[in-house]
Amino acid sequence: MEERKTIIEYIEQVMKIFGFSIIMLNIFCILFGESARDFSSMFAMGNEGLRVVTMLQFLTLAVWIVFCRFLFFTDIMIKNMRIVWRACCMLGAILIVMVICITAFQWFPKDYWLPWVMFFISFLISFVVSLAVTAFKEKSENKRMEEALEKMIKRNQQQEENSRKENGGKNGIRN
């Protein structure tokens, strides 16, 4: 589970998610903004950029995502749950929050199937990419920790050898 974090670290997570979301939305605005202007409230300004209200909506979404992570990956609320189930529950909760935001903020019409398919595909791609990044990060941290452990074991062995030599030398003088 996650270590205890400060409020600053949670704000940092919110800002990372928010920043990435806004960058991606601006790219979508440039690519598809004009064609989606009348279709989605997110692209109301076409390829000119995002409205402030849209950015605040995505900030709200980022806060909820970090809250879901806090809820499922700390032991404060949920004491005994396997990591796989925590990840599945967090993913489900984030998906529910996003669907609520899509419908509440009218990011795209509820009755068109294509935006929903595109949303679920982009959500799946984002999940797979974040999973790959997390796995890579965990693997590199594990490798670093193994190297540090090996160094510590070697240092302890050297200290034991030096200690034996010192004790052996002192015993040899006494005899």
Side-chain angles (χ1 to χ4, degrees):
M1 292 315 98
E2 283 187 2
E3 306 170 1
R4 291 208 174 242
K5 293 188 176 189
T6 65
I7 189 72
I8 300 298
E9 291 169 312
Y10 286 110
I11 292 171
E12 182 180 311
Q13 287 179 358
V14 168
M15 289 297 115
K16 285 179 184 178
I17 292 169
F18 175 68
F20 180 76
S21 299
I22 296 303
I23 289 169
M24 295 308 297
L25 281 173
N26 278 305
I27 290 170
F28 289 148
C29 280
I30 291 167
L31 298 176
F32 311 111
E34 286 305 313
S35 61
R37 181 187 291 253
D38 298 325
F39 185 74
S40 170
S41 68
M42 282 191 295
F43 303 110
M45 294 177 60
N47 63 3
E48 294 176 22
L50 299 170
R51 298 180 309 163
V52 172
V53 68
T54 302
M55 289 188 277
L56 291 174
Q57 292 166 355
F58 273 84
L59 179 60
T60 302
L61 179 61
V63 168
W64 278 106
I65 290 171
V66 171
F67 175 76
C68 288
R69 184 174 176 184
F70 169 79
L71 179 67
F72 291 105
F73 280 93
T74 62
D75 289 333
I76 293 171
M77 299 293 287
I78 300 171
K79 301 285 184 199
N80 297 317
M81 185 184 280
R82 295 182 62 205
I83 192 92
V84 173
W85 286 110
R86 287 176 187 261
C88 290
C89 289
M90 184 187 77
L91 184 66
I94 290 171
L95 195 56
I96 289 168
V97 167
M98 290 184 79
V99 167
I100 290 169
C101 286
I102 289 168
T103 55
F105 301 137
Q106 300 173 355
W107 288 342
F108 51 81
K110 295 179 246 178
D111 53 348
Y112 288 149
W113 63 272
L114 184 60
W116 287 101
V117 169
M118 298 302 287
F119 162 70
F120 285 113
I121 288 172
S122 65
F123 186 83
L124 182 64
I125 289 170
S126 297
F127 174 70
V128 168
V129 168
S130 65
L131 188 63
V133 167
T134 302
F136 176 76
K137 182 179 174 185
E138 181 180 10
K139 188 175 180 178
S140 66
E141 285 177 4
N142 285 345
K143 184 179 177 182
R144 193 185 57 169
M145 293 297 281
E146 286 175 18
E147 290 171 355
L149 181 61
E150 287 176 19
K151 286 179 183 178
M152 192 171 82
I153 289 171
K154 285 180 184 178
R155 188 176 26 214
N156 285 344
Q157 288 173 345
Q158 275 184 326
Q159 288 175 347
E160 286 178 14
E161 274 183 39
N162 291 341
S163 177
R164 273 190 243 129
K165 286 179 184 177
E166 287 176 9
N167 289 338
K170 290 179 183 175
N171 290 340
I173 296 173
R174 289 182 189 164
N175 291 332

Short mmCIF file of all heavy atoms in Angstrom, two decimals, residues 2 5-23 55-71 94:
data_model
loop_
_atom_site.label_atom_id
_atom_site.label_comp_id
_atom_site.label_asym_id
_atom_site.label_seq_id
_atom_site.Cartn_x
_atom_site.Cartn_y
_atom_site.Cartn_z
N GLU A 2 0.24 2.34 -0.35
CA GLU A 2 0.97 3.60 -0.37
C GLU A 2 1.37 4.01 1.04
O GLU A 2 0.68 3.72 2.00
CB GLU A 2 0.08 4.71 -0.95
CG GLU A 2 -0.06 4.66 -2.42
CD GLU A 2 -0.82 5.88 -2.96
OE1 GLU A 2 -1.19 6.77 -2.18
OE2 GLU A 2 -1.03 5.92 -4.16
N LYS A 5 0.97 10.03 2.85
CA LYS A 5 1.41 11.16 2.05
C LYS A 5 0.85 12.45 2.63
O LYS A 5 -0.15 12.44 3.34
CB LYS A 5 0.94 11.00 0.61
CG LYS A 5 1.61 9.83 -0.09
CD LYS A 5 1.28 9.81 -1.54
CE LYS A 5 2.06 8.69 -2.20
NZ LYS A 5 1.95 8.73 -3.63
N THR A 6 1.49 13.53 2.27
CA THR A 6 1.02 14.84 2.70
C THR A 6 0.00 15.36 1.70
O THR A 6 -0.11 14.85 0.58
CB THR A 6 2.19 15.83 2.80
OG1 THR A 6 2.71 16.04 1.48
CG2 THR A 6 3.28 15.32 3.73
N ILE A 7 -0.72 16.37 2.09
CA ILE A 7 -1.71 16.98 1.21
C ILE A 7 -1.03 17.54 -0.04
O ILE A 7 -1.60 17.53 -1.13
CB ILE A 7 -2.53 18.07 1.96
CG1 ILE A 7 -3.71 18.55 1.11
CG2 ILE A 7 -1.66 19.23 2.35
CD1 ILE A 7 -4.81 17.56 0.97
N ILE A 8 0.20 18.00 0.11
CA ILE A 8 0.94 18.54 -1.03
C ILE A 8 1.16 17.46 -2.08
O ILE A 8 1.04 17.72 -3.28
CB ILE A 8 2.31 19.14 -0.57
CG1 ILE A 8 2.09 20.27 0.44
CG2 ILE A 8 3.15 19.58 -1.74
CD1 ILE A 8 1.32 21.45 -0.09
N GLU A 9 1.45 16.23 -1.65
CA GLU A 9 1.66 15.14 -2.60
C GLU A 9 0.37 14.78 -3.32
O GLU A 9 0.39 14.43 -4.50
CB GLU A 9 2.26 13.93 -1.88
CG GLU A 9 3.69 14.18 -1.44
CD GLU A 9 4.23 13.12 -0.50
OE1 GLU A 9 3.54 12.79 0.49
OE2 GLU A 9 5.35 12.66 -0.75
N TYR A 10 -0.77 14.87 -2.64
CA TYR A 10 -2.05 14.63 -3.30
C TYR A 10 -2.36 15.74 -4.30
O TYR A 10 -2.83 15.48 -5.41
CB TYR A 10 -3.18 14.48 -2.28
CG TYR A 10 -3.12 13.15 -1.58
CD1 TYR A 10 -2.77 13.07 -0.24
CD2 TYR A 10 -3.40 11.97 -2.26
CE1 TYR A 10 -2.70 11.85 0.41
CE2 TYR A 10 -3.34 10.74 -1.62
CZ TYR A 10 -2.99 10.69 -0.28
OH TYR A 10 -2.92 9.48 0.35
N ILE A 11 -2.07 16.97 -3.93
CA ILE A 11 -2.27 18.09 -4.86
C ILE A 11 -1.37 17.92 -6.08
O ILE A 11 -1.79 18.19 -7.21
CB ILE A 11 -2.02 19.44 -4.14
CG1 ILE A 11 -3.12 19.68 -3.11
CG2 ILE A 11 -1.94 20.59 -5.13
CD1 ILE A 11 -2.86 20.86 -2.18
N GLU A 12 -0.15 17.46 -5.84
CA GLU A 12 0.78 17.19 -6.94
C GLU A 12 0.20 16.15 -7.90
O GLU A 12 0.28 16.31 -9.12
CB GLU A 12 2.12 16.71 -6.37
CG GLU A 12 3.18 16.46 -7.40
CD GLU A 12 4.48 15.98 -6.75
OE1 GLU A 12 4.93 16.62 -5.79
OE2 GLU A 12 5.01 14.96 -7.22
N GLN A 13 -0.40 15.09 -7.37
CA GLN A 13 -1.02 14.07 -8.22
C GLN A 13 -2.19 14.66 -9.01
O GLN A 13 -2.33 14.36 -10.20
CB GLN A 13 -1.54 12.90 -7.36
CG GLN A 13 -0.46 12.02 -6.81
CD GLN A 13 -1.03 10.90 -5.95
OE1 GLN A 13 -2.24 10.81 -5.73
NE2 GLN A 13 -0.16 10.05 -5.46
N VAL A 14 -3.00 15.48 -8.36
CA VAL A 14 -4.12 16.13 -9.05
C VAL A 14 -3.59 16.98 -10.21
O VAL A 14 -4.11 16.91 -11.33
CB VAL A 14 -4.96 16.99 -8.08
CG1 VAL A 14 -5.93 17.89 -8.84
CG2 VAL A 14 -5.72 16.11 -7.10
N MET A 15 -2.55 17.75 -9.96
CA MET A 15 -2.01 18.63 -10.98
C MET A 15 -1.40 17.85 -12.15
O MET A 15 -1.51 18.27 -13.31
CB MET A 15 -0.97 19.59 -10.39
CG MET A 15 -1.57 20.65 -9.49
SD MET A 15 -2.68 21.75 -10.38
CE MET A 15 -4.23 21.37 -9.60
N LYS A 16 -0.77 16.72 -11.86
CA LYS A 16 -0.23 15.89 -12.94
C LYS A 16 -1.34 15.36 -13.84
O LYS A 16 -1.25 15.43 -15.06
CB LYS A 16 0.57 14.71 -12.36
CG LYS A 16 1.92 15.08 -11.81
CD LYS A 16 2.60 13.85 -11.24
CE LYS A 16 3.92 14.18 -10.60
NZ LYS A 16 4.57 12.99 -9.99
N ILE A 17 -2.39 14.83 -13.23
CA ILE A 17 -3.51 14.30 -14.00
C ILE A 17 -4.20 15.42 -14.77
O ILE A 17 -4.50 15.29 -15.96
CB ILE A 17 -4.51 13.57 -13.07
CG1 ILE A 17 -3.86 12.30 -12.52
CG2 ILE A 17 -5.80 13.23 -13.81
CD1 ILE A 17 -4.65 11.64 -11.40
N PHE A 18 -4.42 16.54 -14.10
CA PHE A 18 -5.07 17.69 -14.74
C PHE A 18 -4.23 18.20 -15.90
O PHE A 18 -4.74 18.43 -17.00
CB PHE A 18 -5.29 18.79 -13.70
CG PHE A 18 -5.83 20.07 -14.28
CD1 PHE A 18 -7.11 20.12 -14.80
CD2 PHE A 18 -5.05 21.22 -14.29
CE1 PHE A 18 -7.62 21.30 -15.32
CE2 PHE A 18 -5.55 22.39 -14.80
CZ PHE A 18 -6.83 22.44 -15.33
N GLY A 19 -2.94 18.37 -15.68
CA GLY A 19 -2.05 18.86 -16.73
C GLY A 19 -2.04 17.95 -17.95
O GLY A 19 -2.15 18.42 -19.10
N PHE A 20 -1.93 16.65 -17.72
CA PHE A 20 -1.94 15.70 -18.83
C PHE A 20 -3.28 15.77 -19.57
O PHE A 20 -3.31 15.76 -20.81
CB PHE A 20 -1.68 14.28 -18.32
CG PHE A 20 -1.66 13.26 -19.41
CD1 PHE A 20 -0.58 13.15 -20.26
CD2 PHE A 20 -2.75 12.42 -19.60
CE1 PHE A 20 -0.57 12.21 -21.28
CE2 PHE A 20 -2.76 11.47 -20.60
CZ PHE A 20 -1.66 11.37 -21.45
N SER A 21 -4.38 15.85 -18.83
CA SER A 21 -5.71 15.93 -19.45
C SER A 21 -5.84 17.17 -20.33
O SER A 21 -6.36 17.09 -21.46
CB SER A 21 -6.81 15.96 -18.38
OG SER A 21 -6.78 14.81 -17.60
N ILE A 22 -5.40 18.29 -19.83
CA ILE A 22 -5.52 19.54 -20.59
C ILE A 22 -4.64 19.52 -21.84
O ILE A 22 -5.06 19.98 -22.91
CB ILE A 22 -5.20 20.77 -19.68
CG1 ILE A 22 -6.24 20.86 -18.56
CG2 ILE A 22 -5.14 22.05 -20.48
CD1 ILE A 22 -7.69 20.95 -19.02
N ILE A 23 -3.46 18.95 -21.71
CA ILE A 23 -2.59 18.82 -22.90
C ILE A 23 -3.28 17.96 -23.96
O ILE A 23 -3.34 18.33 -25.14
CB ILE A 23 -1.22 18.24 -22.52
CG1 ILE A 23 -0.40 19.26 -21.73
CG2 ILE A 23 -0.45 17.79 -23.77
CD1 ILE A 23 0.85 18.69 -21.08
N MET A 55 -12.11 23.37 -18.40
CA MET A 55 -10.89 23.08 -17.65
C MET A 55 -11.21 22.83 -16.17
O MET A 55 -10.62 21.95 -15.55
CB MET A 55 -9.88 24.21 -17.82
CG MET A 55 -9.27 24.23 -19.21
SD MET A 55 -7.92 25.38 -19.38
CE MET A 55 -8.81 26.89 -19.66
N LEU A 56 -12.15 23.58 -15.62
CA LEU A 56 -12.54 23.36 -14.23
C LEU A 56 -13.23 22.01 -14.06
O LEU A 56 -13.06 21.35 -13.02
CB LEU A 56 -13.43 24.50 -13.74
CG LEU A 56 -12.74 25.85 -13.58
CD1 LEU A 56 -13.75 26.94 -13.22
CD2 LEU A 56 -11.62 25.78 -12.55
N GLN A 57 -13.99 21.59 -15.06
CA GLN A 57 -14.62 20.28 -15.01
C GLN A 57 -13.55 19.18 -14.98
O GLN A 57 -13.66 18.21 -14.22
CB GLN A 57 -15.54 20.08 -16.23
CG GLN A 57 -16.76 20.95 -16.19
CD GLN A 57 -17.49 21.00 -17.52
OE1 GLN A 57 -17.05 20.46 -18.53
NE2 GLN A 57 -18.64 21.68 -17.52
N PHE A 58 -12.51 19.34 -15.77
CA PHE A 58 -11.44 18.35 -15.78
C PHE A 58 -10.60 18.41 -14.51
O PHE A 58 -10.06 17.40 -14.07
CB PHE A 58 -10.58 18.48 -17.04
CG PHE A 58 -11.15 17.69 -18.18
CD1 PHE A 58 -12.15 18.23 -18.97
CD2 PHE A 58 -10.73 16.40 -18.43
CE1 PHE A 58 -12.71 17.50 -20.00
CE2 PHE A 58 -11.29 15.66 -19.45
CZ PHE A 58 -12.28 16.21 -20.24
N LEU A 59 -10.49 19.58 -13.90
CA LEU A 59 -9.84 19.68 -12.60
C LEU A 59 -10.65 18.90 -11.56
O LEU A 59 -10.09 18.16 -10.75
CB LEU A 59 -9.67 21.13 -12.18
CG LEU A 59 -9.03 21.37 -10.81
CD1 LEU A 59 -7.62 20.79 -10.76
CD2 LEU A 59 -9.01 22.86 -10.48
N THR A 60 -11.96 19.04 -11.60
CA THR A 60 -12.84 18.28 -10.71
C THR A 60 -12.65 16.79 -10.92
O THR A 60 -12.55 16.01 -9.96
CB THR A 60 -14.32 18.68 -10.94
OG1 THR A 60 -14.45 20.08 -10.73
CG2 THR A 60 -15.25 17.90 -10.04
N LEU A 61 -12.59 16.37 -12.17
CA LEU A 61 -12.38 14.96 -12.49
C LEU A 61 -11.04 14.47 -11.93
O LEU A 61 -10.96 13.38 -11.36
CB LEU A 61 -12.44 14.73 -14.00
CG LEU A 61 -12.21 13.31 -14.49
CD1 LEU A 61 -13.24 12.35 -13.93
CD2 LEU A 61 -12.20 13.27 -16.01
N ALA A 62 -10.00 15.28 -12.07
CA ALA A 62 -8.68 14.90 -11.54
C ALA A 62 -8.73 14.73 -10.03
O ALA A 62 -8.12 13.80 -9.48
CB ALA A 62 -7.64 15.95 -11.93
N VAL A 63 -9.45 15.60 -9.35
CA VAL A 63 -9.59 15.48 -7.89
C VAL A 63 -10.27 14.15 -7.55
O VAL A 63 -9.84 13.44 -6.64
CB VAL A 63 -10.38 16.67 -7.31
CG1 VAL A 63 -10.78 16.42 -5.86
CG2 VAL A 63 -9.56 17.95 -7.42
N TRP A 64 -11.33 13.80 -8.27
CA TRP A 64 -12.03 12.54 -8.00
C TRP A 64 -11.16 11.33 -8.29
O TRP A 64 -11.21 10.33 -7.58
CB TRP A 64 -13.34 12.46 -8.81
CG TRP A 64 -14.43 13.21 -8.13
CD1 TRP A 64 -14.95 14.42 -8.48
CD2 TRP A 64 -15.13 12.80 -6.94
NE1 TRP A 64 -15.92 14.79 -7.59
CE2 TRP A 64 -16.06 13.80 -6.64
CE3 TRP A 64 -15.05 11.69 -6.11
CZ2 TRP A 64 -16.91 13.72 -5.54
CZ3 TRP A 64 -15.90 11.61 -5.03
CH2 TRP A 64 -16.81 12.62 -4.75
N ILE A 65 -10.34 11.39 -9.33
CA ILE A 65 -9.44 10.28 -9.65
C ILE A 65 -8.43 10.07 -8.52
O ILE A 65 -8.19 8.95 -8.08
CB ILE A 65 -8.74 10.51 -11.01
CG1 ILE A 65 -9.76 10.37 -12.14
CG2 ILE A 65 -7.57 9.55 -11.20
CD1 ILE A 65 -9.25 10.78 -13.50
N VAL A 66 -7.86 11.16 -8.03
CA VAL A 66 -6.91 11.06 -6.92
C VAL A 66 -7.61 10.57 -5.66
O VAL A 66 -7.06 9.77 -4.90
CB VAL A 66 -6.17 12.39 -6.70
CG1 VAL A 66 -5.33 12.36 -5.43
CG2 VAL A 66 -5.28 12.70 -7.90
N PHE A 67 -8.85 11.01 -5.44
CA PHE A 67 -9.61 10.52 -4.30
C PHE A 67 -9.83 9.01 -4.40
O PHE A 67 -9.69 8.29 -3.40
CB PHE A 67 -10.96 11.24 -4.17
CG PHE A 67 -11.82 10.67 -3.08
CD1 PHE A 67 -11.53 10.95 -1.76
CD2 PHE A 67 -12.88 9.84 -3.38
CE1 PHE A 67 -12.31 10.41 -0.73
CE2 PHE A 67 -13.66 9.29 -2.37
CZ PHE A 67 -13.38 9.58 -1.05
N CYS A 68 -10.15 8.52 -5.59
CA CYS A 68 -10.34 7.08 -5.79
C CYS A 68 -9.05 6.33 -5.49
O CYS A 68 -9.06 5.27 -4.85
CB CYS A 68 -10.81 6.77 -7.21
SG CYS A 68 -12.51 7.26 -7.53
N ARG A 69 -7.94 6.89 -5.94
CA ARG A 69 -6.65 6.26 -5.65
C ARG A 69 -6.38 6.24 -4.15
O ARG A 69 -5.92 5.24 -3.60
CB ARG A 69 -5.53 7.00 -6.38
CG ARG A 69 -4.20 6.35 -6.22
CD ARG A 69 -3.15 7.00 -7.06
NE ARG A 69 -1.88 6.39 -6.79
CZ ARG A 69 -0.76 6.79 -7.31
NH1 ARG A 69 -0.74 7.79 -8.16
NH2 ARG A 69 0.37 6.20 -7.00
N PHE A 70 -6.66 7.34 -3.49
CA PHE A 70 -6.49 7.42 -2.04
C PHE A 70 -7.38 6.39 -1.35
O PHE A 70 -6.94 5.68 -0.45
CB PHE A 70 -6.85 8.84 -1.56
CG PHE A 70 -6.99 8.96 -0.07
CD1 PHE A 70 -5.86 9.06 0.74
CD2 PHE A 70 -8.23 8.97 0.54
CE1 PHE A 70 -5.97 9.17 2.12
CE2 PHE A 70 -8.36 9.07 1.91
CZ PHE A 70 -7.22 9.17 2.70
N LEU A 71 -8.63 6.30 -1.78
CA LEU A 71 -9.59 5.40 -1.18
C LEU A 71 -9.16 3.94 -1.29
O LEU A 71 -9.21 3.19 -0.32
CB LEU A 71 -10.97 5.59 -1.84
CG LEU A 71 -12.09 4.69 -1.34
CD1 LEU A 71 -12.44 5.03 0.10
CD2 LEU A 71 -13.31 4.85 -2.23
N ILE A 94 -13.33 4.92 -11.01
CA ILE A 94 -12.93 6.00 -11.91
C ILE A 94 -13.80 6.00 -13.16
O ILE A 94 -14.23 7.05 -13.64
CB ILE A 94 -11.43 5.90 -12.27
CG1 ILE A 94 -10.58 6.24 -11.05
CG2 ILE A 94 -11.08 6.81 -13.45
CD1 ILE A 94 -9.10 5.98 -11.21
#
